[in-house]
Coordinates of all heavy atoms in Angstrom, one line a residue:
F16 N -4.2 -5.9 2.2 CA -4.8 -6.0 0.9 C -4.1 -7.1 0.0 O -4.7 -7.9 -0.6 CB -4.8 -4.7 0.2 CG -5.4 -4.8 -1.2 CD1 -6.8 -4.9 -1.3 CD2 -4.7 -5.0 -2.3 CE1 -7.4 -5.1 -2.5 CE2 -5.3 -5.2 -3.5 CZ -6.6 -5.2 -3.7
R28 N -8.9 -20.0 -8.2 CA -8.3 -21.1 -9.0 C -8.5 -22.5 -8.4 O -8.5 -23.5 -9.1 CB -6.8 -20.8 -9.2 CG -6.6 -19.6 -10.1 CD -5.1 -19.2 -10.1 NE -4.2 -20.2 -10.6 CZ -2.9 -20.0 -10.8 NH1 -2.4 -18.7 -10.6 NH2 -2.1 -20.9 -11.2
M43 N -5.9 -4.3 12.5 CA -7.1 -4.2 11.6 C -7.4 -5.4 10.9 O -8.5 -5.6 10.4 CB -6.9 -3.0 10.7 CG -5.7 -3.2 9.7 SD -5.8 -1.9 8.3 CE -5.4 -0.4 9.2
Y53 N -12.9 -14.8 5.3 CA -11.9 -15.8 5.7 C -11.8 -16.0 7.2 O -12.0 -15.0 7.9 CB -10.6 -15.4 5.1 CG -10.5 -15.4 3.6 CD1 -10.7 -14.2 2.9 CD2 -10.3 -16.6 2.9 CE1 -10.6 -14.2 1.5 CE2 -10.3 -16.6 1.5 CZ -10.4 -15.4 0.8 OH -10.4 -15.4 -0.6
R83 N 4.5 -20.2 20.6 CA 3.8 -21.4 21.0 C 2.5 -21.6 20.3 O 2.2 -22.7 19.8 CB 3.6 -21.4 22.6 CG 4.8 -21.5 23.4 CD 4.4 -21.7 24.9 NE 3.6 -22.9 25.1 CZ 3.1 -23.2 26.3 NH1 3.2 -22.4 27.3 NH2 2.4 -24.3 26.5
R86 N 3.2 -22.6 16.6 CA 3.5 -24.0 16.4 C 2.3 -24.9 16.5 O 2.1 -25.8 15.7 CB 4.5 -24.4 17.5 CG 5.9 -23.9 17.3 CD 7.0 -24.6 18.1 NE 6.8 -24.4 19.6 CZ 7.4 -23.4 20.2 NH1 8.1 -22.5 19.6 NH2 7.2 -23.3 21.5
G102 N 4.6 -7.7 8.6 CA 3.8 -7.4 9.8 C 4.2 -8.3 10.9 O 4.8 -9.4 10.8
A141 N 10.7 -18.9 -1.6 CA 10.6 -17.9 -2.7 C 10.2 -16.6 -2.0 O 9.6 -16.6 -1.0 CB 9.5 -18.3 -3.7
A145 N 8.3 -6.5 -5.7 CA 7.7 -5.5 -6.7 C 8.8 -4.5 -7.2 O 8.4 -3.7 -8.1 CB 6.6 -4.8 -6.0
G162 N 5.5 -8.0 -8.7 CA 4.7 -6.8 -8.4 C 3.7 -7.1 -7.2 O 3.7 -8.1 -6.7
K167 N -8.9 -5.0 -8.4 CA -9.4 -5.3 -9.7 C -10.4 -4.2 -10.1 O -10.6 -3.9 -11.3 CB -10.0 -6.6 -9.8 CG -9.1 -7.8 -9.4 CD -8.1 -8.1 -10.4 CE -7.3 -9.3 -10.1 NZ -6.1 -9.5 -10.9
R181 N -16.9 15.0 -15.6 CA -18.3 15.5 -15.5 C -19.1 14.8 -14.5 O -19.9 15.4 -13.8 CB -18.9 15.3 -16.9 CG -20.3 16.0 -17.1 CD -20.8 15.9 -18.5 NE -20.1 16.6 -19.5 CZ -19.3 16.0 -20.4 NH1 -19.2 14.7 -20.5 NH2 -18.7 16.8 -21.3
G200 N -6.4 10.0 5.8 CA -5.9 11.3 5.4 C -4.4 11.4 5.7 O -3.8 10.5 6.3
M208 N -2.6 21.9 1.6 CA -3.8 22.3 0.9 C -4.5 23.5 1.6 O -5.1 24.4 1.0 CB -4.8 21.1 0.7 CG -4.3 20.1 -0.3 SD -4.1 20.8 -2.0 CE -5.8 21.3 -2.3
A211 N -2.8 26.6 0.8 CA -3.1 27.0 -0.6 C -4.5 27.7 -0.7 O -4.7 28.6 -1.4 CB -2.9 25.9 -1.5
V212 N -5.5 27.1 0.0 CA -6.8 27.7 0.0 C -6.8 29.0 0.7 O -7.4 30.0 0.2 CB -7.8 26.7 0.7 CG1 -9.2 27.4 0.9 CG2 -8.0 25.4 -0.1
D256 N -15.5 6.0 -5.0 CA -15.3 5.5 -6.3 C -13.9 5.9 -6.8 O -13.7 6.8 -7.5 CB -16.4 5.9 -7.3 CG -16.3 5.2 -8.6 OD1 -15.3 4.5 -8.9 OD2 -17.3 5.3 -9.4
G272 N 3.0 4.8 -0.4 CA 2.8 3.4 0.0 C 2.9 2.5 -1.2 O 2.6 2.9 -2.3
T275 N -0.4 2.0 -3.2 CA -0.8 3.2 -4.1 C 0.1 3.2 -5.3 O -0.4 3.5 -6.4 CB -0.6 4.4 -3.2 OG1 -1.5 4.4 -2.1 CG2 -0.9 5.7 -4.1
G283 N -0.9 4.1 -15.2 CA -0.1 5.1 -15.9 C -0.3 6.5 -15.5 O -0.3 7.4 -16.4
K284 N -0.5 6.8 -14.2 CA -0.9 8.1 -13.8 C 0.3 9.0 -13.3 O 1.1 8.5 -12.5 CB -1.8 8.0 -12.6 CG -3.3 7.7 -12.9 CD -3.9 8.8 -13.7 CE -5.2 8.4 -14.4 NZ -5.8 9.5 -15.2
P292 N 7.1 10.1 6.6 CA 8.3 9.8 7.4 C 8.0 8.9 8.6 O 8.9 8.5 9.3 CB 8.7 11.2 7.9 CG 7.4 11.9 8.0 CD 6.5 11.4 7.0
N293 N 6.7 8.6 8.8 CA 6.2 7.9 10.0 C 6.0 6.4 9.8 O 5.0 5.8 10.2 CB 5.0 8.5 10.6 CG 5.1 10.0 10.8 OD1 6.1 10.5 11.4 ND2 4.2 10.8 10.3
V294 N 6.9 5.8 9.0 CA 6.8 4.4 8.7 C 8.1 3.6 9.0 O 9.2 4.3 9.0 CB 6.4 4.2 7.2 CG1 5.0 4.7 6.9 CG2 7.4 4.8 6.3
L304 N 11.9 7.0 -4.2 CA 13.2 7.1 -5.0 C 13.3 6.1 -6.1 O 13.9 6.4 -7.2 CB 14.4 6.9 -4.0 CG 14.7 8.0 -3.1 CD1 15.7 7.6 -2.0 CD2 15.3 9.2 -3.9
W325 N 2.8 23.0 -3.4 CA 1.9 23.7 -4.3 C 2.6 24.2 -5.6 O 2.1 24.1 -6.7 CB 1.3 24.9 -3.6 CG 0.3 25.6 -4.5 CD1 0.5 26.8 -5.3 CD2 -1.0 25.2 -4.9 NE1 -0.6 27.1 -6.0 CE2 -1.5 26.1 -5.8 CE3 -1.8 24.1 -4.5 CZ2 -2.8 26.0 -6.4 CZ3 -3.1 24.0 -5.0 CH2 -3.6 25.0 -6.0
A349 N 5.0 -1.0 -14.5 CA 3.8 -1.8 -14.1 C 4.0 -3.3 -14.3 O 4.6 -3.7 -15.3 CB 2.6 -1.4 -15.0
D352 N -1.2 -8.7 -13.2 CA -1.5 -10.0 -12.8 C -0.6 -10.5 -11.7 O -0.2 -11.7 -11.6 CB -1.4 -11.0 -14.0 CG -2.3 -10.5 -15.1 OD1 -3.5 -10.1 -14.8 OD2 -1.9 -10.6 -16.3
V358 N 0.7 -16.8 -6.8 CA 0.1 -18.1 -6.6 C 0.9 -19.1 -7.4 O 1.2 -20.2 -6.9 CB -1.4 -18.1 -7.0 CG1 -1.9 -19.5 -7.1 CG2 -2.2 -17.3 -5.9

Side-chain angles (χ1 to χ4, degrees):
F16 181 78
R28 291 171 60 171
M43 68 167 69
Y53 295 99
R83 289 187 63 186
R86 286 195 296 269
K167 303 288 188 189
R181 189 179 290 110
M208 288 300 299
V212 171
D256 192 347
T275 298
K284 282 293 167 182
N293 308 312
V294 293
L304 282 170
W325 182 261
D352 304 317
V358 169

